[in-house]
Amino acid sequence: MAIIEVSNLKKSYGNLEVLKQISFDVNKNDVVAVIGPSGSGKSTMLRSLVHLEKVDGGSIRVSGDDLVKDGVYSKPDEIKQITTKMGMVFQHFNLFPHLTVKENLEMAPRLAKRESASDIRKRSSELLQKIGLTGRESAYPAHLSGGQKQRVAIARALMMNPDILLFDEPTSALDPELTGEVLQVMKDLAEEHMTMIVVTHEMGFAKEVASRVIFMDNGEIIESGHPSDVMTNPQFERTKAFLNR
Ligand code: ADP
Ligand code: MG
């Protein structure tokens, strides 16, 4: 079953074509690693999926619902409903600095008013345990390490029970000794069959954890497939050059 269906996605900034007719699907339980040089359009692609950017053409379907179809966006309330099915984790965490860990986790579900306060509290404490931060619920983000902040951001994204999690270089802003703890949380999620798209420079993670790798360059998907094909036996010169860099 397809969670994300992208076809012929187009996006330009002025004269700069950043996404050139991109198409791909993400099926339930897939872990898709997106790799490629800086400036190739990876962030723009992810941000378009969650409607932080508007595309100029093409279609995005999420769990069968059209976010945008042939360049025409659905109505605002439908868009809102569709984007809550996706959780996003950013390079720079984007936690609310004036809220505690627990408040960061509980804010979106409380605003959505779909569940009782006690159900929300129960889930936030379960997720804090999952990311190894039980006991830090009253801490503010400024008092956490980068690795802890990113683990909180992942838990926050999971609070809305999304169909898919999107990660944009989740470990790129971390000191090297803190990347492992974040990658471990992501690996645990993959083992629990969470559907994920991960833009990453961590080639080891892509090779070990991804079910599929997409290589992007200059606004295009150059090749995609199983990590053992794309990363070990790339078919295109541009992929080879990137992997050998
Ligand atoms: P990546 O994440 O692969 O590094 P991006 O999606 O961030 O690539 O950027 C793709 C291209 O679009 C780059 O050339 C970048 O400079 C340009 N770009 C990104 N965001 C904007 C923006 N808001 N305005 C103008 N150009 C942008
Ligand atoms: Mg980027």
Side-chain angles (χ1 to χ4, degrees), residues 13 16 18 37-44:
Y13 291 111
L16 181 69
V18 179
S38 178
S40 55
K42 305 181 299 296
S43 295
T44 304

Side-chain angles (χ1 to χ4, degrees), residues 39-58:
S40 55
K42 305 181 299 296
S43 295
T44 304
M45 184 272 285
L46 274 197
R47 292 171 59 81
S48 300
L49 296 182
V50 295
H51 198 239
L52 289 171
E53 301 288 348
K54 274 200 145 182
V55 296
D56 305 319

Side-chain angles (χ1 to χ4, degrees), residues 57-191:
S59 306
I60 300 171
R61 275 168 87 83
V62 181
S63 299
D65 294 326
D66 292 314
L67 176 69
V68 53
K69 187 174 186 182
D70 298 327
V72 181
Y73 276 90
S74 296
K75 296 198 195 80
D77 52 333
E78 292 170 48
I79 290 177
K80 207 170 151 197
Q81 203 252 323
I82 290 167
T83 50
T84 61
K85 297 184 203 172
M86 296 176 276
M88 178 98 170
V89 175
F90 300 90
Q91 185 176 347
H92 295 286
F93 327 120
N94 297 17
L95 295 174
F96 303 113
H98 58 296
L99 298 182
T100 64
V101 165
K102 188 174 153 63
E103 288 163 350
N104 264 280
L105 263 62
E106 296 184 359
M107 184 159 105
R110 280 177 192 273
L111 288 174
K113 294 189 177 136
R114 288 193 300 226
E115 304 162 278
S116 69
S118 71
D119 285 347
I120 293 170
R121 275 201 303 274
K122 183 161 173 282
R123 198 161 63 260
S124 70
S125 70
E126 284 167 2
L127 284 170
L128 283 174
Q129 188 177 11
K130 189 185 182 86
I131 59 165
L133 283 177
T134 301
R136 302 306 306 276
E137 38 277 279
S138 304
Y140 286 90
H143 297 130
L144 301 177
S145 71
Q148 290 173 329
K149 283 182 211 172
Q150 197 58 303
R151 285 185 280 148
V152 171
I154 294 171
R156 183 178 63 175
L158 287 167
M159 280 297 289
M160 296 293 281
N161 289 322
D163 293 350
I164 183 165
L165 276 186
L166 312 178
F167 297 83
D168 194 356
E169 299 198 27
T171 60
S172 294
L174 299 177
D175 292 334
E177 71 272 20
L178 300 178
T179 60
E181 63 193 58
V182 172
L183 293 175
Q184 186 59 50
V185 169
M186 296 166 64
K187 217 165 137 180
D188 292 345
L189 290 169
E191 277 165 17

Side-chain angles (χ1 to χ4, degrees), residues 176-225:
E177 71 272 20
L178 300 178
T179 60
E181 63 193 58
V182 172
L183 293 175
Q184 186 59 50
V185 169
M186 296 166 64
K187 217 165 137 180
D188 292 345
L189 290 169
E191 277 165 17
E192 294 162 21
H193 306 295
M194 185 74 208
T195 310
M196 309 196 270
I197 303 178
V198 185
V199 172
T200 186
H201 292 297
E202 296 282 343
M203 294 300 141
F205 176 85
K207 213 167 195 168
E208 190 187 346
V209 181
S211 53
R212 196 147 53 88
V213 173
I214 290 177
F215 172 64
M216 277 182 75
D217 191 18
N218 198 19
E220 295 175 296
I221 293 176
I222 306 301
E223 61 185 301
S224 96

